Every structure is written in structure tokens, then in C-alpha cells.
Amino acid sequence: MELSRRDLLASVGTAGTLGVSGCLDFAAGEGPQGPSGDIDDLQCEEEGFRRLDQRFSEEGMSYVSAYTAEDVRFELAAQGTEKTYGSDLRVVLRCLDQGVDVEIASSDHLAIQRETASGWRDVRGTTDGSAVTYPDETKTVGSGGGYTWSITLREESVADTLSTADLTVCPELGIGQHRFVYWGLPGETAIGRQFELIG
């Protein structure tokens, strides 16, 4: 049985070691249909589409596996830097420090972006031109606490990553550099992991 992201989050209280068997980067039968390689920007011809804005600064962005936000260390771990269309992107955020309790934003505070010549662009957007809001609730975590995400790299699953809005992916996913970013750490800092969609 394949769990949705929401089902997985409901079953995981804190992030920990994620055990998996077999190969995560399985062939999906059909490949990505979106633009491939180096592109100038993401273009969507769907009427009413509004791409999600970037809610964090590049200056505050970190790709290191262990990152300190307001004196508390966090780790963002992802399995594999090369992914195939239809495989699972599995990411774990956890607090590394003992004896701390720190508030982080909801698991919806994430971005899935494609690298372009014009900068990083979220692949998701609203279908009716509306802006989005993110959940206000926070989560208090201590050592080992955090979130686990499992997102199938297909348009429907990538779009289903924000509980407060009906999103779509436009254009379709394509071969190229992408990144997963969580921007809910203390001090409005962001931590991310890059991956390449290879086919």
C-alpha cells in the first residue's frame, strides 16, 4: 500500500532513521514530460496559473547537512542526489542537540524548485491566480525531533504538498537540477538539499 505524504506524517511523530528496502530510484514507465536541461525560466501556458513566491532569502539558504539556527543544530538528510520520475524523494529534518526545546514551523513550509537561468523557481502554483497562505501552527521539537517527508516525483504528489491550497505543477516536471527546501527553522532560515531529475 502506498501512503500519501499526509498519511506518512500522521504516522511519524519524530524524524528518525528511515529504513527502506530495494531501490528508491525505480523506473516509472514514462519519463518526465517537462522542459529538459538548462532552461531560461519556467513557463506555464495554463490560464490563471500563479507560481508560488519564494518565501526565504538565498543569503539565508544552506545546503550543509547540519545547520545551526539560533544556536540549535538541525540536520536535513535526503536519500540520493539523482532521482527518476516516479521515484520517492525522502527527506528527514531533525534536531541534533540534547536538552533543547525549539519551535519550528509546520511541515508545509517547504519549496520544491527547479534551477533556471533566471534563478530557482518553485514548480508549483495555484490554478486560479490566488496567493497562498501557510499554516500558522508550530511544532516544539527536542533532540531527534523534526519531520519526515516522502514525495513521489510525479506532478500530482508534488502538488499535494500544501494543505491550505489547491496547487498544480506547471509546466510538467522535466530533467534538470531541483532542490527541496524547508524554510521553517528558527530565525526564518532555510535549509535545502539539491537533486537532479535524470529521466
Side-chain angles (χ1 to χ4, degrees):
M1 181 178 70
E2 182 176 342
L3 294 176
S4 70
R5 184 187 70 89
R6 290 190 180 96
D7 291 335
L8 183 63
L9 288 175
S11 67
V12 179
T14 58
T17 301
L18 185 61
V20 293
S21 60
C23 178
L24 293 178
D25 292 326
F26 57 87
E30 78 274 8
Q33 301 299 307
S36 297
D38 297 330
I39 57 176
D40 291 334
D41 208 343
L42 288 180
Q43 302 293 333
C44 179
E45 297 180 1
E46 185 174 327
E47 186 176 352
F49 180 81
R50 179 175 177 176
R51 194 168 305 284
L52 296 189
D53 296 328
Q54 182 167 302
R55 302 291 183 100
F56 54 90
S57 70
E58 289 295 330
E59 290 74 18
M61 178 70 211
S62 174
Y63 291 113
V64 296
S65 58
Y67 183 65
T68 301
E70 294 191 354
D71 299 324
V72 180
R73 292 182 304 136
F74 290 89
E75 176 186 55
L76 188 71
Q79 290 188 321
T81 58
E82 294 184 343
K83 311 298 288 185
T84 55
Y85 183 80
S87 67
D88 287 340
L89 175 64
R90 299 187 179 185
V91 184
V92 176
L93 172 77
R94 63 176 176 168
C95 175
L96 297 177
D97 288 345
Q98 301 282 341
V100 299
D101 288 308
V102 60
E103 283 192 349
I104 59 176
S106 74
S107 61
D108 288 28
H109 285 66
L110 63 87
I112 301 174
Q113 298 180 317
R114 172 78 184 268
E115 186 177 31
T116 76
S118 302
W120 288 96
R121 299 288 185 260
D122 206 302
V123 300
R124 306 163 299 156
T126 56
T127 58
D128 60 1
S130 62
V132 301
T133 60
Y134 290 82
D136 290 332
E137 65 261 21
T138 60
K139 179 178 181 178
T140 301
V141 297
S143 177
Y147 296 117
T148 299
W149 296 270
S150 182
I151 304 169
T152 301
L153 292 173
R154 292 180 180 270
E155 287 76 15
E156 303 82 10
S157 298
V158 171
D160 187 30
T161 46
L162 181 59
S163 61
T164 55
D166 182 21
L167 302 180
T168 191
V169 171
C170 190
E172 295 174 305
L173 297 174
I175 293 172
Q177 288 292 334
H178 293 73
R179 69 181 182 183
F180 174 100
V181 180
Y182 175 71
W183 48 276
L185 292 178
E188 300 182 353
T189 51
I191 187 171
R193 304 298 288 179
Q194 291 191 27
F195 64 95
E196 183 178 8
L197 195 60
I198 59 173

